[in-house]
Amino acid sequence: MANEGLRPGTELVNVLKEVYGSEWAANPTEEAVIAGFVHQPNGVSRIGNKLHLPKVATIAATTLGSTSSGNSLTQTQNTEVDTTYSPTAKYSYVGINAHAKTRIINDGAYQAVVRKQMLAGLEEAIDTDPFTPAASLSHTESGAAVDKTMRRPAIGQLAEFGKGHIKVGQTDLMLVVHPREIKNVLATNEFVNAQFRGDSSNPAVKGWVANAYGVTMRESGLVYNPAGTAYQPLLEKMAWVLAWNQKPTVLDVQQYQLETRLIAWCEYAVGEFFDQYGVSLNTTV
């Protein structure tokens, strides 16, 4: 063998070192979008076994005729509604055996990323559940794309059925679209042109529509889309409710025999509150 140096695949195959990076990267999860927007009841720190949110029905005025007696009025007798919500508990659990823990070497960094991913997984689960009621909303718009032809009448429906609670251009509204609808949103000039969005702090050059027609726009891959139909909610926050028994938390590390246990959990209730304050924009994805 003439003038050949030592090669990594042959002569040095048994002595070459392998090095791992000192950081642990985390796979992506969806960020929380809808859970932070919907109504969280004031004064409710824990919901116990069931949350009750009573609602007082509309009381219509009655005409008092010029010859009517003031002591023979017709009484309003509405049956009031009690909306209830039951809690759901979710958790993440990772166990690390002792003889695995010692061989990881940088175990502290590994556990830190595991905790981060546990919380991210819980946040993703929490944000998934509030999207489901979109498929049950009474008011909808359907079309090929989330564009002005869908968005404008959807806002109109909110104003019509939400009545005095919805003030167009003043009431805080949110529309969450499926990521596959982003191309259609950005192709609509009325959404991206600053004069329609009306706020110089959100210029079109940022590449996304922060607000158009008084509606904050967000995107999420958690938008409910069974059987290929995406139910994309346009909401005022009182449309749905979210309440807690336990917000996402990582428990103290538990040692059981030769296993290190990392556990995170939460418990919450979510559901529809006012159907009138939501419209679903339905497209095929």
Side-chain angles (χ1 to χ4, degrees), residues 141-213:
E141 292 288 339
S142 298
V146 177
D147 55 17
K148 61 185 178 183
T149 61
M150 288 187 70
R151 185 163 176 162
R152 288 171 176 171
I155 295 172
Q157 287 204 57
L158 278 186
E160 178 182 358
F161 298 105
K163 301 184 178 181
H165 186 78
I166 304 295
K167 298 177 175 61
V168 178
Q170 300 179 42
T171 303
D172 189 15
L173 305 176
M174 177 181 284
L175 170 62
V176 187
V177 299
H178 191 279
R180 294 181 185 175
E181 280 298 321
I182 293 175
K183 63 182 183 295
N184 296 317
V185 172
L186 295 180
T188 306
N189 289 334
E190 286 85 348
F191 291 173
V192 297
N193 288 349
Q195 66 267 30
F196 285 93
R197 298 192 295 107
D199 188 351
S200 60
S201 66
N202 296 304
V205 294
K206 288 186 176 180
W208 179 241
V209 188
N211 186 288
Y213 302 123

Side-chain angles (χ1 to χ4, degrees), residues 34-70:
I34 201 75
F37 177 75
V38 297
H39 178 57
Q40 299 192 30
N42 294 325
V44 179
S45 58
R46 291 188 178 181
I47 60 178
N49 191 51
K50 185 175 289 187
L51 172 65
H52 292 257
L53 294 178
K55 294 189 289 187
V56 177
T58 300
I59 300 176
T62 302
T63 300
L64 180 64
S66 59
T67 61
S68 298
S69 170

Side-chain angles (χ1 to χ4, degrees), residues 49-104:
N49 191 51
K50 185 175 289 187
L51 172 65
H52 292 257
L53 294 178
K55 294 189 289 187
V56 177
T58 300
I59 300 176
T62 302
T63 300
L64 180 64
S66 59
T67 61
S68 298
S69 170
N71 60 6
S72 60
L73 303 180
T74 300
Q75 186 180 104
T76 297
Q77 292 179 306
N78 289 327
T79 300
E80 309 298 2
V81 176
D82 176 28
T83 53
T84 60
Y85 308 87
S86 298
T88 297
K90 296 191 176 180
Y91 70 91
S92 302
Y93 165 41
V94 175
I96 309 172
N97 288 319
H99 58 307
K101 188 169 179 284
T102 55
R103 301 178 195 191
I104 292 175

Side-chain angles (χ1 to χ4, degrees), residues 240-280:
W240 297 334
V241 65
L242 172 66
W244 305 92
N245 269 333
Q246 175 63 59
K247 292 187 177 181
T249 184
V250 180
L251 303 179
D252 292 339
V253 175
Q254 301 176 26
Q255 195 67 43
Y256 179 74
Q257 296 184 3
L258 289 178
E259 180 181 276
T260 298
R261 293 180 169 180
L262 306 178
I263 300 173
W265 84 290
C266 62
E267 189 174 44
Y268 60 94
V270 66
E272 183 182 276
F273 193 24
F274 282 95
D275 177 77
Q276 304 97 310
Y277 303 160
V279 177
S280 181

